[in-house]
Amino acid sequence: MASRARVRAPELVGAGGWLNTGGKDLKLADLRGKCVVLDFWTFCCINCLHVLDELRELEEKHRDTVVIVGVHSPKFVHEADHRAVVDAVDRYEVHHPVLDDPALATWKQYAVRAWPTLVVIDPEGYVVAQHAGEGHAHALARLVEELEAEHAAKGTLRRGDGPYVAPEPTAGDLKFPGKAVRLPNGHFLVADSGHHSLVELEADGETVVRRIGDGVRGLVDGTSPRFSEPQGLVLLPEGTAGHDLVVADTVNHALRGVRLSDGSVTTLAGTGRQWWQGSATEGPAREVDLSSPWDVAWFDGRVWIAMAGVHQLWAYDPAAGTVGVVAGTTNEGLVDGPAAEAWFAQPSGLAVSADGERLWVADSETSALRWVSRETKAVHSAVGTGLFDFGHRDGAAAQALLQHPLGVTVLPDGSVAVSDTYNHALRRYDPASDEVSTLATDLREPSGAVLVDGDIVVVESARHRLTRLRLPEEAVRVDAVAHRTQRAATEVAPGALRLDVVFRAPTGQKLDERYGPSTRLLVSATPPELLVSGAGADSALSRELVLSDTVTEGVLHVSAMAASCDDDPAVEYPACHVHQQDWGVPVKLTDDGARRLPLVLAGLE
């Protein structure tokens, strides 16, 4: 403990103010005596949502000594809207204080470079650790236990209730619904994500017929089932044995089968555990881990899965009882080409063309509309350019902009309706003309849509309802707006650049080298010409890069993973933990820029 740097934690400042505090503005002085964990997050980010779930056990076990503070630091323009942050805190059941920091003031004070990042502050107000990415729950638990013991002995630990004040609950039959399907009887089945259940509604889209699931978060099969934030739904073809539809049970990292006759549920794929690098990527469906499946579609004889948590598409074969990767590398970004080489970024919506030849994909983090060819399995982009450009602009697809779309629906004429979630709009892409237009606006966070007799029924997630619209004959005219993610670029010099990923194994653990290297570092760039050398994968967490002297700016994409295990020779099968993070570091090349780029995975620089 004596080796920790004594760095005083900067004050917590955010123009949006505080949530979950009963209206009180918190200062660090109010938290003195507690172990404080700052969680820098943004609600579009699937890795941030994973960390929210990782923190729940720590939050419960150490509720009298630990205060978790969410620092909401937006990527998209919509995420800087205070009302949207309020909705997200409710949607994801965040049970701790949250600072709304739309201008990234506190993000900059703590020199944060990536979502999510966790910073630990000791009871005396000093920063003692920083962790980027996922998989740090065990390390945090060990550190908290050390801090509790040290500061109890010093008399600087203060036990008791924290500053969290629960908000008023959201009332209504639906709470942040995700996706919907139309049943053969004309009813709708809705993934009622906020209530952890499925709801059957009559044809009016309002009257509740029944609820499948008791509303409590869990992974339980049978006729009294439980779900955890379910999203995508797909009806299976007639003759598929056992079930009528498949549900993407997102936070349970599972696919569930539902029999409509009695509402019984069976887990079809997934173990309930989240997939990590090194886990199996194919095999018996009940034995393979999944990661935040967000949508499902019947395509090319299988259930295809938008696996948002690992930026891939997977497929489940009901006849063989197997599941496996069909497209994507786990690298986050927009790269077209053969399925095995393509990059996605949180694919969240799927729809199949009427002829069955194309699988349309809403690729949310790249604000893109993509598609997969049934014949070649190649991945193509119709709209969108990458992780950092977004907006609301119609016209030629090559210059059109979306903002974090979550849903796609094929229309009768072969065009595609896009639930353009963060633009609160329904957009249309016409493959025949290669043009994008706007069908409707003022839809609060639409996340999916269903065709009904020439109309379209939109899932308005943040209005907690289904909304039926006439498909307009003419597009809605909107003023074009373009945005770019606003993060300060790191100034680096052309030529040699030393990249160091800082990782220190938690107390009582060591890097697991029993079966080969336990670390992995993958580096690439946008544009690719930015990197003269140093791209690719290797096991060392440090690397010498060479940057171009002709490219003036770009983004370095860095993905790091480290596995650490309990350091006790007496334990035959030590517990191991995977830590991983993806960084997209905007860089600006200047002659007097830095020649070393440190990125903290775990520890302190």
Side-chain angles (χ1 to χ4, degrees):
M1 301 294 288
S3 63
R4 290 197 192 103
R6 299 289 286 174
V7 178
R8 177 66 71 177
E11 191 53 83
L12 305 178
V13 179
W18 287 88
L19 304 176
N20 287 354
T21 63
K24 179 181 178 181
D25 289 343
L26 294 183
K27 300 292 183 185
L28 279 177
D30 301 326
L31 305 177
R32 199 61 51 79
K34 298 288 189 180
C35 304
V36 179
V37 179
L38 303 183
D39 175 18
F40 289 87
W41 70 298
T42 189
F43 63 78
C44 73
C45 161
I46 192 67
N47 311 93
C48 300
L49 303 186
H50 290 165
V51 168
L52 284 177
D53 289 318
E54 288 179 7
L55 292 174
R56 294 187 198 279
E57 183 177 350
L58 179 74
E59 198 165 31
E60 178 63 29
K61 185 176 180 181
H62 299 273
R63 60 169 54 249
D64 67 332
T65 58
V66 172
V67 174
I68 296 173
V69 174
V71 182
H72 189 267
S73 313
K75 171 186 174 181
F76 290 99
V77 168
H78 171 59
E79 293 174 303
D81 177 353
H82 182 70
R83 177 181 170 187
V85 179
V86 172
D87 284 344
V89 168
D90 186 15
R91 179 195 296 267
Y92 297 116
E93 298 179 0
V94 179
H95 294 161
H96 50 250
V98 173
L99 175 64
D100 182 9
D101 182 20
L104 303 182
T106 296
W107 165 288
K108 294 170 185 173
Q109 285 293 311
Y110 281 82
V112 174
R113 292 183 182 272
W115 299 278
T117 292
L118 300 168
V119 176
V120 182
I121 302 171
D122 74 11
E124 294 180 294
Y126 292 93
V127 175
V128 293
Q130 180 173 324
H131 303 272
E134 304 178 51
H136 300 293
H138 177 76
L140 287 175
R142 290 292 298 266
L143 178 55
V144 163
E145 290 170 359
E146 290 180 24
L147 291 173
E148 287 175 342
E150 176 187 348
H151 290 275
K154 290 174 66 175
T156 50
L157 183 69
R158 178 167 55 90
R159 296 184 179 274
D161 292 338
Y164 170 69
V165 177
E168 290 296 318
T170 302
D173 292 325
L174 299 178
K175 181 179 179 183
F176 300 110
K179 313 279 186 186
V181 293
R182 196 180 188 206
L183 299 176
N185 62 3
H187 292 180
F188 296 97
L189 192 69
V190 183
D192 191 11
S193 307
H195 286 139
H196 310 297
S197 59
L198 311 179
V199 176
E200 183 176 346
L201 302 177
E202 290 187 2
D204 61 9
E206 296 180 2
T207 305
V208 175
V209 177
R210 62 171 167 168
R211 185 175 293 275
I212 301 174
D214 63 6
V216 177
R217 187 190 295 270
L219 179 55
V220 178
D221 286 342
T223 54
S224 299
R226 287 182 173 176
F227 302 88
S228 188
E229 298 179 33
Q231 288 285 340
L233 309 164
V234 64
L235 289 167
L236 295 174
E238 288 188 20
T240 306
H243 306 92
D244 299 300
L245 68 123
V246 173
V247 181
D249 195 7
T250 304
V251 178
N252 276 329
H253 310 296
L255 296 188
R256 317 289 294 282
V258 179
R259 191 167 61 208
L260 292 173
S261 60
D262 61 359
S264 65
V265 174
T266 303
T267 299
L268 303 177
T271 62
R273 297 184 302 270
Q274 182 184 336
W275 187 94
W276 291 98
Q277 290 286 352
S279 302
T281 56
E282 62 180 357
R286 289 293 302 271
E287 299 174 15
V288 177
D289 298 339
L290 309 182
S291 183
S292 296
W294 208 277
D295 202 5
V296 280
W298 183 262
F299 178 61
D300 196 27
R302 292 180 290 175
V303 176
W304 282 53
I305 310 162
M307 200 72 78
V310 285
H311 318 300
Q312 291 179 310
L313 303 180
W314 289 42
Y316 163 67
D317 186 335
T322 58
V323 69
V325 177
V326 287
T329 65
T330 75
N331 296 325
E332 184 178 15
L334 191 154
V335 175
D336 290 337
E341 301 172 14
W343 293 20
F344 295 92
Q346 279 179 229
S348 302
L350 301 175
V352 180
S353 60
D355 61 7
E357 292 300 315
R358 287 188 179 187
L359 177 70
W360 294 99
V361 182
D363 203 29
S364 61
E365 277 294 290
T366 53
S367 297
L369 175 64
R370 321 272 301 274
W371 58 277
V372 181
S373 164
R374 186 191 67 81
E375 181 179 359
T376 67
K377 300 300 185 292
V379 178
H380 307 264
S381 293
V383 184
T385 59
L387 286 165
F388 303 103
D389 293 295
F390 57 93
H392 191 151
R393 186 163 65 199
D394 289 335
Q399 57 84 53
L401 294 172
L402 309 170
Q403 186 180 180
H404 198 81
L406 290 179
V408 279
T409 307
V410 175
L411 300 179
D413 64 358
S415 64
V416 180
V418 180
S419 295
D420 194 7
T421 309
Y422 287 4
N423 279 327
H424 307 301
L426 192 66
R427 312 286 294 284
R428 175 178 177 264
Y429 169 69
D430 183 0
S433 64
D434 200 31
E435 295 268 331
V436 174
S437 57
T438 298
L439 297 175
T441 58
D442 191 33
L443 296 166
R444 190 72 184 167
E445 293 192 12
S447 57
V450 183
L451 281 177
V452 180
D453 303 327
D455 293 345
I456 191 163
V457 175
V458 181
V459 181
E460 281 198 89
S461 189
R463 282 200 177 112
H464 318 293
R465 71 186 189 192
L466 304 188
T467 299
R468 188 163 180 154
L469 304 172
R470 285 276 179 198
L471 282 172
E473 296 181 3
E474 294 185 3
V476 176
R477 189 172 298 278
V478 296
D479 293 330
V481 59
H483 301 289
R484 191 157 236 274
T485 299
Q486 296 301 310
R487 281 193 288 162
T490 299
E491 293 192 359
V492 295
L497 176 70
R498 174 78 174 182
L499 172 64
D500 289 320
V501 173
V502 178
F503 177 77
R504 293 180 175 84
T507 302
Q509 294 194 0
K510 65 177 180 180
L511 290 174
D512 179 22
E513 308 283 357
R514 290 172 298 165
Y515 307 108
S518 61
T519 56
R520 175 178 177 268
L521 180 63
L522 175 67
V523 181
S524 62
T526 303
E529 298 77 27
L530 174 62
L531 269 178
V532 176
S533 66
D538 200 352
S539 59
L541 291 181
S542 294
R543 187 178 302 179
E544 293 292 340
L545 310 179
V546 177
L547 305 184
S548 170
D549 57 4
T550 60
V551 177
T552 58
E553 63 179 3
V555 179
L556 287 174
H557 303 283
V558 180
S559 177
M561 184 275 289
S564 62
C565 298
D566 292 342
D567 186 12
D568 186 348
V571 178
E572 184 177 1
Y573 301 106
C576 297
H577 307 273
V578 177
H579 318 261
Q580 68 179 47
Q581 170 63 7
D582 297 329
W583 291 269
V585 183
V587 295
K588 180 179 180 181
L589 277 71
T590 62
D591 289 338
D592 57 352
R595 295 197 173 275
R596 177 176 177 265
L597 176 62
L599 299 174
V600 177
L601 178 60
L604 286 174
E605 165 63 4

